[in-house]
Amino acid sequence: MAGLNATEATANQKTKSIILFYKYAPLSDDSDKMYILRDALETLCSQLHLKGRILLGMSTDAEGINGTLSGARDDVEACVVALLGKDGFSEEIDNRYSDIAKDFWNKSEEFSQAAS
């Protein structure tokens, strides 16, 4: 993230975020192409340590893409850049971005530690 000092960058990496997105657009009805797209998205999310689900409509109709991902804010932002090809959000994709996840993450981490 350009322009952030080390403290801000560390805080952004620790801040948990959630992104919900969808785009109605024809993708492909070719299963080979869809497997390539699916594998690329899975690799991207894995490398960014994101959790969630992305649904891909396998058709030439406007089913498109629909997803919910969560992780560190910097990683979610990196995914947005990878999907949109630029930093920031596009009017072409209706997305919602929330730091409300912070309390959920804290509680789930507390629960996970208590359960172990």
Side-chain angles (χ1 to χ4, degrees):
M1 304 289 316
L4 295 181
N5 65 38
T7 303
E8 291 171 324
T10 300
N12 268 1
Q13 188 58 35
K14 291 181 180 178
T15 301
K16 302 297 184 185
S17 294
I18 297 173
I19 186 167
L20 296 91
F21 57 93
Y22 66 90
K23 171 73 175 172
Y24 293 113
L27 294 176
S28 177
D29 59 0
D30 181 330
S31 61
D32 291 336
K33 289 179 183 178
M34 294 303 288
Y35 283 126
I36 292 169
L37 177 57
R38 184 199 66 191
D39 289 346
L41 290 169
E42 187 174 338
T43 298
L44 173 67
C45 292
S46 176
Q47 289 178 347
L48 293 173
H49 309 288
L50 299 178
K51 303 291 183 198
R53 180 172 291 178
I54 298 176
L55 303 173
L56 300 170
M58 188 172 139
S59 75
T60 55
D61 293 333
E63 290 184 45
I65 184 171
N66 181 326
T68 303
L69 298 171
S70 64
R73 183 180 185 108
D74 285 350
D75 294 335
V76 171
E77 288 179 358
C79 184
V80 169
V81 171
L83 290 174
L84 299 178
K86 60 183 174 183
D87 192 6
F89 300 128
S90 168
E91 293 177 17
E92 296 177 14
I93 295 182
D94 177 18
N95 51 49
R96 296 165 188 104
Y97 197 37
S98 174
D99 288 325
I100 295 171
K102 182 178 181 180
D103 288 335
F104 172 80
W105 279 96
N106 290 339
K107 295 293 182 193
S108 65
E109 287 174 6
E110 290 171 17
F111 177 78
S112 177
Q113 290 173 358
S116 348

